[in-house]
Amino acid sequence: MKFDVVIIGGGLAGLTCGISLQRKGRRCAIVSAGQSALHFSSGYFDFLDRTADGKAVENPLDAVSALPEGHPYRKIGVEDLERYMGEVKPLFAGCGIELKGDWSRNCYRITPVGGVCPSWLCLGEFTPFTTAQAEVGRNVMVVNIPGYMDFNARFVAAGLEKRGAACRIVDVTVDELSGLRANPSEMRSSNIARLMDSGHVAVRFAEAVRMKLSGEDAVVLPAVFGLKDSSVPQKVAEIIGVRTEYVATMTPSVPGIRTQMRLRAAFERLGGTYILGDTVMPSEIRDGRVVCLSTVNFGNEKLYADAFVLAAGSFFSNGLAASRECVTEPVFGLDVHAADDRSKWGDMDFFKRQEYIGFGVKSDADFHAVKDGVSVSNLYVAGSVAGGYNPIAEGSGAGTAIMSAMSVAEHIISKIG
Amino acid sequence: MNENFEQCLKCTVCTVYCPVVPVNTDFPGPKQAGPDGERYRLKAGLFYDDTLKYCLNCKRCEVACPSGILIGDIIQKAKMKYGPQKTKLRDAMLAETDFMGSVATVFAPIANPVLAARPVKAVMDSVLKIDHRRTFPKYSGQKFVTWFRKNMAAGQEKYPKKAVYFHGCYVNYNYPALGKDLVAVMNALGYGISLIDGEKCCGTALIANAMGKRALRQARHNVKAIESASDAGRLPVISTSSTCSFTIRDEYPHVLGVDNGKIRENVSLAVKFIYSLVENGEVKLVFKPGYRSKVAYHAPCHMEKLGWNIFSEELLKMIPGLDLTVLDSNCCGIAGTYGFKKENYEKSQAIGKPLFDQIGKVAPDFIACDCETCKWQLEMSTPYKVKNPVTILAEALDLDATAKANNHQ
Ligand SMILES: Cc1cc2nc3c(=O)[nH]c(=O)nc-3n(C[C@H](O)[C@H](O)[C@H](O)COP(=O)(O)OP(=O)(O)OC[C@H]3O[C@@H](n4cnc5c(N)ncnc54)[C@H](O)[C@@H]3O)c2cc1C
Ligand code: SF4
Ligand code: SF4
């Protein structure tokens, strides 16, 4: 089967790249072994939250020049970065995904444990707070859904109180949710959201919240609304009638799943082919090029293309593999940035900077993958499989995924036509 | 792929995509029923939870899992190992497709009206707990195999190439027309067809009904029979049912532990096989000039697990005049014998509802689908007929011109 471009990995990077290419009329296929890291998203896209010494970044573009050479943002360069950043909101809006915030500066978000963190843009139900105070209200009612364990109302309330709000935690539920409670392992965000999507349940829930208000000027709810119908969070807020803030839950992330589904649907609407549940097998690089890929399911039928993109994610998605001795890239055996000294991989203190998070595939200035020290002319890397940066320490996961994907799409178009 | 439940990341992604979870709160969900539950069951089988029977074995959880855990396989194996060892008469009847098929074929003129009659349905409903709202697939008067041997077998030698056809129970007992279409298309492409001596049901229904011993016996038998029919894997073996192909290729080794190494790579689906022939320039398709149809394609769950729906889609797209809509990925709810059981009927219809609704919106001339049980479900739950892509191909092709283009007769 022949395409213009075949992309390995259908998460944020693979889909952004595929959508950009399809919009320019290139025929793409995406092969994705399983669902992506978007299922764990906080609902906020990070671009560059912190400097190397841990200070919150205000204007991400200004901080780019201080990044080490070889960082994906340095490869793209400030000029192109600025252009891509401006294109992100319209690109996602075209896929039915509302992003809020000012792309030229960072915002703040409330974390699932009630703290405050810098971030960049956020999905429609969230608020891009402009100050680190992230004030929700003076008197806040934090809603706990009994039986739902993946949202900790106490932590959130404690965090808000530390920043000067008075909080009251209130249990709210509706009959329709009692079925889920019968099976505690299934009281999950996606199941709650699915029920809420059938309009009347959300309305009844919102009314129940409103009834519990006693003078509060704001409500905090877990982000378990709007799995398919993104208008639900807004409707619920309107019924409640006071300021309503959604706070991210533990996985799975309802806003993240919705985003994944909409990106995929947009890619398919543009004529792209999305193949889920299939794994690209170890493939050959011959004379500095990739000719075709084999997958587990396709058997003898190969996937041919002029260009290939590796957007297979990090360790979590199996885009990288670690053994006791070394870190490898399983599909092509590409060169990988990694500390040679095993003891430098990680810090036993879980909350410290973990070097292994910064491991990833080496690429040249145009994101061509590098094997045995030589660039592969028609293979590009995008997203968290790429090395040269530490997405967790610096807070740059979605930003690097989207920016590298947009850049790779442009390189492919300028090179292959 | 990883059967090792220890590799589970506890990410709960599987739970998001299980079609049973939203409609049946008694079902613990793939993560709990699969890798999490296995941890306990290995300690002591008495942790076995009877609600595992609500699993459809649709494998949607496996398609979604980022770590490649074979969740559905873990659940099916647990059902066989720890579940109730006595099979209900009803489950056995539904699962024994060959036995039921043979009996019913002989009595087709009686069996069809009988299975359709209200009082019979009432008895089946109350005594056997087969839901009275189900329409039964009709049994054909003449088995496909009988037709083939009588009319076609002798002529197959003259074709330059050969392929083996695994027809499955549905083609043999209920719908020989599909088998006839397959033979017509393959002959036009220059392939002579042979059948598998002693072919038995692939056993999918036995697996689903936790009749492990019978399933195992049938799997071993089929692997031997396919080995000898395909000259130890040298000839291509094609089928027209996504579930038959899937069961033989993957359930045999993964769930039943039957080694199919000699034949696995050769067992394919007609759509994939034909697609590859066209793609590699080995055959040409010549279509009828005036063909027109509006088609909605539904990818069966096992087709998505095989990852082969793309071949059906691409093949249908080759047909000029065919206006194709690919329906959203959604289980139709029947899952083989599952939806026939009284306790599952309503859940089964609830699972399929978004699909039925979307089909209504598309308003196609007919639905395309590679699975026979999906066909029953969709024909019962929507006003549209369902055709296998091979049948659509047979209707759209100018078979004589195709035969000429491929240099014979
Ligand atoms: C738990 C968690 C939470 C996060 N939260 C946030 C957040 O809130 N905000 C933020 O900005 N960033 C967050 N990130 C960072 C996140 O990694 C990036 O934002 C981004 O989603 C990465 O996208 P990606 O496309 O590069 O990789 P992924 O989303 O990991 O996608 C890679 C895909 O490739 C597939 N794949 C791998 N190997 C193969 C193969 N051989 N064949 C076929 N397919 C293959 C995988 O199955 C997977 O679907 C988070 C990361 C994690 C792990
Ligand atoms: S096989 Fe299907 S029904 Fe069974 S747990 Fe997995 S997704 Fe659910
Ligand atoms: S999706 Fe896979 S890894 Fe995640 S919880 Fe389910 S089985 Fe475990």
Side-chain angles (χ1 to χ4, degrees):
Chain A
M1 207 170 275
K2 170 85 175 67
F3 295 90
D4 295 333
V5 182
V6 172
I7 299 167
I8 306 168
L12 188 55
L15 277 163
T16 302
C17 190
I19 289 167
S20 306
L21 287 165
Q22 284 290 150
R23 292 206 332 173
K24 293 270 158 72
R26 305 307 183 282
R27 234 171 76 79
C28 302
I30 294 178
V31 186
S32 201
Q35 290 291 359
S36 77
L38 273 172
H39 286 61
F40 318 116
S41 169
S42 62
Y44 284 75
F45 286 1
D46 298 323
F47 190 94
L48 184 58
D49 297 344
R50 285 171 293 274
T51 59
D53 47 13
K55 287 209 190 69
V57 168
E58 253 176 57
N59 296 303
L61 265 184
D62 295 347
V64 166
S65 61
L67 294 170
E69 222 168 301
H71 190 290
Y73 291 159
R74 292 287 304 272
K75 288 184 187 174
I76 296 168
V78 172
E79 206 174 296
D80 281 347
L81 268 183
E82 190 167 2
R83 182 163 55 87
Y84 296 153
M85 288 165 92
E87 287 171 12
V88 170
K89 280 167 77 169
L91 180 83
F92 279 70
C95 306
I97 299 161
E98 184 195 2
L99 286 175
K100 297 204 294 208
D102 174 354
W103 62 263
S104 68
R105 45 179 304 129
N106 274 340
C107 71
Y108 290 89
R109 69 181 174 100
I110 299 174
T111 69
V113 289
V116 176
C117 252
S119 192
W120 183 47
L121 301 175
C122 61
L123 295 169
E125 57 264 69
F126 297 102
T127 300
F129 293 96
T130 50
T131 67
Q133 201 52 26
E135 197 188 21
V136 171
R138 277 172 201 285
N139 282 301
V140 185
M141 184 170 109
V142 181
V143 174
N144 176 55
I145 303 175
Y148 177 53
M149 314 286 252
D150 295 333
F151 175 74
N152 196 316
R154 286 223 319 273
F155 285 176
V156 174
L160 296 178
E161 279 178 341
K162 215 187 266 171
R163 296 192 297 280
C167 291
R168 189 166 65 96
I169 299 173
V170 173
D171 285 354
V172 180
T173 192
V174 286
D175 291 348
E176 284 84 351
L177 294 179
S178 61
L180 292 178
R181 276 200 87 177
N183 205 333
S185 65
E186 288 321 286
M187 188 88 179
R188 295 280 178 197
S189 59
S190 52
N191 294 329
I192 299 175
R194 215 180 259 118
L195 283 171
M196 296 290 186
D197 266 4
S198 59
H200 69 280
V201 183
V203 170
R204 288 193 28 177
F205 185 86
E207 280 165 355
V209 172
R210 192 185 57 202
M211 307 268 284
K212 295 258 169 121
L213 282 172
S214 73
E216 283 90 356
D217 57 355
V219 165
V220 168
L221 284 175
V224 294
F225 301 83
L227 188 64
K228 286 199 171 144
D229 179 353
S230 56
S231 71
V232 176
Q234 178 65 31
K235 270 191 217 141
V236 167
E238 280 163 18
I239 295 172
I240 292 175
V242 299
R243 178 171 179 172
T244 300
E245 289 295 335
Y246 292 94
V247 169
T249 67
M250 297 298 179
T251 86
S253 157
V254 170
I257 300 168
R258 186 180 70 233
T259 304
Q260 172 76 31
M261 292 195 291
R262 293 202 172 177
L263 286 174
R264 175 180 172 173
F267 173 69
E268 290 181 322
R269 248 193 330 272
L270 288 162
T273 299
Y274 194 97
I275 301 164
L276 180 65
D278 199 0
T279 304
V280 175
M281 301 202 291
S283 298
E284 202 186 359
I285 291 169
R286 203 182 296 165
D287 303 329
R289 289 177 61 78
V290 179
V291 177
C292 63
L293 301 177
S294 303
T295 77
V296 170
N297 291 338
F298 270 48
N300 292 330
E301 190 61 38
K302 307 276 183 255
L303 285 165
Y304 292 87
D306 299 325
F308 297 85
V309 180
L310 182 69
S314 189
F315 297 99
F316 179 86
S317 295
N318 301 317
L320 298 171
S323 68
R324 292 218 146 268
E325 298 76 35
C326 59
V327 173
T328 52
E329 182 284 306
V331 178
F332 301 102
L334 298 169
D335 295 359
V336 169
H337 291 280
D340 291 332
D341 178 358
R342 180 70 174 77
S343 67
K344 298 227 169 77
W345 283 15
D347 194 304
M348 287 313 279
D349 180 352
F350 186 77
F351 293 100
K352 286 232 178 96
R353 181 187 173 98
Q354 297 292 340
E355 290 307 328
Y356 75 91
I357 295 289
F359 296 171
V361 170
K362 285 188 187 166
S363 62
D364 70 9
D366 296 343
F367 291 104
H368 291 106
V370 174
K371 179 158 166 122
D372 302 330
V374 184
S375 295
V376 184
S377 65
N378 67 340
L379 175 63
Y380 297 82
V381 287
S384 57
V385 71
Y389 69 111
N390 190 317
I392 293 192
E394 66 192 31
S396 65
T400 41
I402 297 169
M403 295 295 119
S404 59
M406 289 170 106
S407 174
V408 163
E410 275 195 359
H411 282 304
I412 289 176
I413 285 166
S414 71
K415 188 148 173 197
I416 291 166
Chain B
M1 291 305 133
N2 208 322
E3 234 176 288
N4 183 356
F5 62 91
E6 300 283 1
Q7 307 277 324
C8 166
L9 301 161
K10 311 290 168 215
C11 69
T12 67
V13 162
C14 48
T15 292
V16 179
Y17 295 92
C18 172
V20 177
V21 165
V23 300
N24 187 347
T25 48
D26 291 336
F27 181 57
K31 173 171 168 281
Q32 185 65 32
D36 285 3
E38 192 67 5
R39 196 178 295 275
Y40 290 109
R41 290 189 292 264
L42 284 183
K43 281 200 185 125
L46 65 117
F47 282 109
Y48 177 78
D49 183 343
D50 190 44
T51 55
L52 262 55
K53 69 180 177 211
Y54 297 123
C55 167
L56 301 167
N57 199 24
C58 69
K59 312 284 191 197
R60 284 183 176 268
C61 48
E62 294 181 6
V63 173
C65 173
S67 321
I69 312 283
L70 297 176
I71 311 157
D73 293 356
I74 295 174
I75 297 174
Q76 299 317 308
K77 281 199 276 196
K79 273 166 63 182
M80 287 193 244
K81 190 163 171 204
Y82 306 110
Q85 296 305 309
K86 262 184 93 172
T87 312
K88 286 192 201 136
L89 173 63
R90 184 263 330 254
D91 293 0
M93 278 175 64
L94 288 171
E96 292 285 356
T97 49
D98 270 326
F99 174 72
M100 289 293 284
S102 300
V103 175
T105 304
V106 179
F107 297 106
I110 311 169
N112 289 330
V114 166
L115 287 173
R118 262 172 218 284
V120 175
K121 284 195 162 189
V123 171
M124 295 208 302
D125 190 296
S126 63
V127 180
L128 291 172
K129 306 275 181 263
I130 294 174
D131 198 276
H132 65 277
R133 286 160 290 189
R134 282 273 162 228
T135 22
F136 262 81
K138 290 207 169 25
Y139 286 100
S140 159
Q142 187 188 39
K143 288 196 251 182
F144 168 74
V145 173
T146 316
W147 169 84
F148 183 84
R149 297 219 195 286
K150 209 183 258 172
N151 305 292
M152 303 305 287
Q156 298 299 309
E157 287 301 316
K158 65 175 183 271
Y159 295 98
K161 287 169 269 183
K162 285 187 180 45
V164 180
Y165 181 36
F166 186 97
H167 50 70
C169 308
Y170 166 72
V171 162
N172 202 23
Y173 305 116
N174 303 109
Y175 204 66
L178 172 56
K180 295 176 187 174
D181 290 336
L182 183 276
V183 176
V185 170
M186 293 306 290
N187 283 175
L189 298 179
Y191 278 81
I193 290 294
S194 59
L195 304 185
I196 298 159
D197 260 340
E199 175 190 312
K200 283 205 158 87
C201 168
C202 68
T204 186
L206 296 169
I207 295 172
N209 288 287
M211 296 163 71
K213 279 197 196 111
R214 299 269 301 120
L216 182 64
R217 216 176 314 145
Q218 234 143 285
R220 284 195 183 127
H221 170 93
N222 275 339
V223 168
K224 278 238 167 58
I226 295 171
E227 275 174 6
S228 87
S230 67
D231 192 10
R234 270 180 283 276
L235 290 177
V237 179
I238 54 179
S239 101
T240 40
S241 156
S242 43
T243 291
C244 295
S245 292
F246 169 67
T247 304
I248 297 168
R249 284 172 59 93
D250 293 339
E251 301 277 86
Y252 282 7
H254 295 161
V255 177
L256 299 172
V258 171
D259 177 12
N260 64 356
K262 279 201 196 121
I263 54 153
R264 183 177 184 275
E265 279 314 302
N266 290 59
V267 175
S268 180
L269 261 180
V271 283
K272 178 171 189 276
F273 186 72
I274 296 170
Y275 173 88
S276 293
L277 292 179
V278 177
E279 180 73 9
N280 301 333
E282 289 172 50
V283 301
K284 289 194 194 68
L285 305 179
V286 184
F287 293 98
K288 289 175 189 155
Y291 182 84
R292 288 274 171 287
S293 63
K294 186 177 177 193
V295 181
Y297 174 68
H298 164 64
C301 297
H302 288 167
M303 194 69 168
E304 288 196 21
K305 172 66 185 164
L306 281 166
W308 290 354
N309 36 331
I310 184 167
F311 298 113
S312 286
E313 292 165 22
E314 292 298 314
L315 206 54
L316 291 172
K317 282 186 200 159
M318 288 179 194
I319 303 176
L322 187 146
D323 169 13
L324 179 70
T325 305
V326 176
L327 297 164
D328 294 344
S329 169
N330 194 105
C331 175
C332 75
I334 185 103
T337 57
Y338 182 94
F340 277 86
K341 300 176 187 173
K342 189 175 165 67
E343 66 270 26
N344 295 337
Y345 179 83
E346 261 151 31
K347 312 253 157 52
S348 162
Q349 296 311 98
I351 291 171
K353 180 150 191 309
L355 178 64
F356 312 151
D357 291 348
Q358 195 194 4
I359 293 171
K361 278 203 199 105
V362 174
D365 296 332
F366 52 84
I367 301 162
C369 179
D370 320 87
C371 168
E372 51 279 7
T373 54
C374 294
K375 175 180 157 85
W376 300 336
Q377 172 77 331
L378 294 176
E379 290 187 343
M380 193 195 91
S381 312
T382 75
Y384 303 102
K385 278 229 136 304
V386 177
K387 296 183 187 181
N388 189 291
V390 169
T391 295
I392 300 172
L393 206 56
E395 287 171 356
L397 280 175
D398 181 333
L399 290 168
D400 292 335
T402 301
K404 269 205 201 91
N406 293 301
N407 289 326
H408 57 95
Q409 297 137 47

